[in-house]
Amino acid sequence: MVLTEHTTERPPVRSVRRLNRPDAASRGRGGQRFLLVGLILASVYSLFPVWWLIVAATKDRTALYQSNGLWFSGWHLWDNLQQVFTYQDGIFLRWTANSFLYAGVGSLGGTLIALATGYGLARFDFPGRNVIFACVVGSFLIPIALLTLPLYLLFSAIGMVDTPWAMLIPCLINPFSVYLAKVYTEATVPYELLEAARIDGAGELRIFFSIVLRMMTTGGATVFLLAFVNTWNAFFLPLTVLRGKENWTLNLGLYNWTGTRLESGIDLTGLVLTGALLSIVPMAIMMVAMRRYWRSGVTLGALK
């Protein structure tokens, strides 16, 4: 018997043409470049008005209208600053103090009230809590311009028009700050810690001021800064409830200087631009001072 070996022939392997596809690293680098270009364009768009304002504040009246608006032409910044601080017996300094009073005191009191209210809505169970929270959410959806006239009529009836209270009282109540405080409380203040403090004999006020406020430092800083910027840049409310120049804010005072050219023919454009440049300095200082709170808040969110 002859054994024959049967060999199975394999089909020829066809060459597969590989497609040149970019790997994950190259795709990642492309996305980073696209994001970088977008950030650069957004930064240029945001800083362009600031650059124009800085350049304009260094020019005199002639160079302001006849030179290139995006580059320097002489250096008259110190002269412009002196004119701003001395014009009308230094009324600019009074407006600056008023703005700090309204924005600082009002935002600080409003932040404390918002944190207490948000903490109460987030960690206390009482009848009507959901209804109150729904009213809070619905109230900050109403534009402030619609509330200005009712506020003016109310303050006029009780004799508070043209007083600092007409600006401070609206700053103390901010529904959007209450919403932020409630959301942040739910994320950072656990029920177990509050129950442990109550078991140890701590009262509700002590729990709030000793424990809750310390845990909500980042959220409180954010609420305060948003309220400060909103009050500092407010225009329609002070225009309605403030009459005398002694109680005006910076924005309202600079607006009055802008209209002086139409009323008396005196061109105060240089003073307005220099004053506008000075008005953004507190905002920049506030951003730099509170940067560490935001950084810690972002780190906390990443860990969670």
Side-chain angles (χ1 to χ4, degrees), residues 4-283:
T4 60
E5 295 181 358
H6 297 279
T7 59
T8 305
E9 295 183 358
R10 297 180 179 179
V13 180
R14 298 179 181 179
S15 60
V16 179
R17 184 179 181 181
R18 295 182 180 180
L19 300 178
N20 294 325
R21 298 180 179 178
D23 54 0
S26 61
R27 289 197 300 268
R29 287 193 296 267
Q32 292 178 358
R33 295 191 189 99
F34 180 77
L35 180 61
L36 181 60
V37 171
L39 291 176
I40 292 175
L41 293 177
S43 301
V44 172
Y45 176 79
S46 301
L47 295 177
F48 181 80
V50 180
W51 171 255
W52 178 86
L53 186 62
I54 294 174
V55 172
T58 62
K59 298 180 179 181
D60 57 1
R61 185 181 304 175
T62 303
L64 188 62
Y65 293 105
Q66 297 180 1
S67 62
N68 184 7
L70 299 179
W71 197 248
F72 302 94
S73 178
W75 187 263
H76 303 276
L77 179 61
W78 309 120
D79 297 334
N80 294 336
L81 291 175
Q82 184 179 3
Q83 293 178 10
V84 168
F85 292 138
T86 58
Y87 186 73
Q88 292 182 347
D89 298 329
I91 192 65
F92 182 84
L93 296 176
R94 179 62 182 270
W95 295 339
T96 304
N98 292 337
S99 295
F100 273 110
L101 173 64
Y102 304 147
V105 177
S107 300
L108 185 61
T111 300
L112 183 61
I113 294 175
L115 294 180
T117 307
Y119 166 67
L121 290 174
R123 289 295 177 257
F124 288 91
D125 190 9
F126 54 90
R129 184 181 65 170
N130 295 331
V131 176
I132 295 176
F133 181 68
C135 293
V136 169
V137 174
S139 60
F140 74 72
L141 298 177
I142 301 175
I144 188 61
L146 296 181
L147 301 177
T148 302
L149 182 58
L151 287 174
Y152 172 78
L153 296 177
L154 176 63
F155 292 146
S156 178
I158 60 180
M160 286 188 179
V161 173
D162 200 24
T163 62
W165 292 108
M167 285 293 299
L168 290 175
I169 292 178
C171 296
L172 296 177
I173 309 300
N174 192 336
F176 184 68
S177 299
V178 173
Y179 171 77
L180 291 180
K182 179 183 181 299
V183 173
Y184 195 81
T185 301
E186 293 174 345
T188 58
V189 181
Y191 282 105
E192 295 78 9
L193 181 62
L194 301 178
E195 292 297 330
R198 295 188 181 102
I199 293 174
D200 291 339
E204 296 299 335
L205 290 179
R206 184 178 180 182
I207 292 175
F208 176 71
F209 286 101
S210 300
I211 299 176
V212 176
L213 284 184
R214 293 184 180 181
M215 298 183 66
M216 297 179 63
T217 303
T218 303
T222 304
V223 170
F224 173 79
L225 184 59
L226 292 177
F228 187 91
V229 173
N230 187 33
T231 306
W232 185 273
N233 295 329
F235 176 75
F236 197 55
L237 180 62
L239 179 64
T240 306
V241 300
L242 300 178
R243 298 176 181 175
K245 292 184 178 180
E246 294 78 10
N247 296 324
W248 284 356
T249 61
L250 269 178
N251 290 337
L252 193 56
L254 294 177
Y255 172 75
N256 178 261
W257 281 359
T258 305
T260 303
R261 182 178 181 181
L262 300 177
E263 296 177 358
S264 59
I266 302 176
D267 189 4
L268 300 179
T269 305
L271 298 184
V272 172
L273 294 176
T274 306
L277 178 63
L278 293 175
S279 67
I280 66 176
V281 174
M283 296 292 99

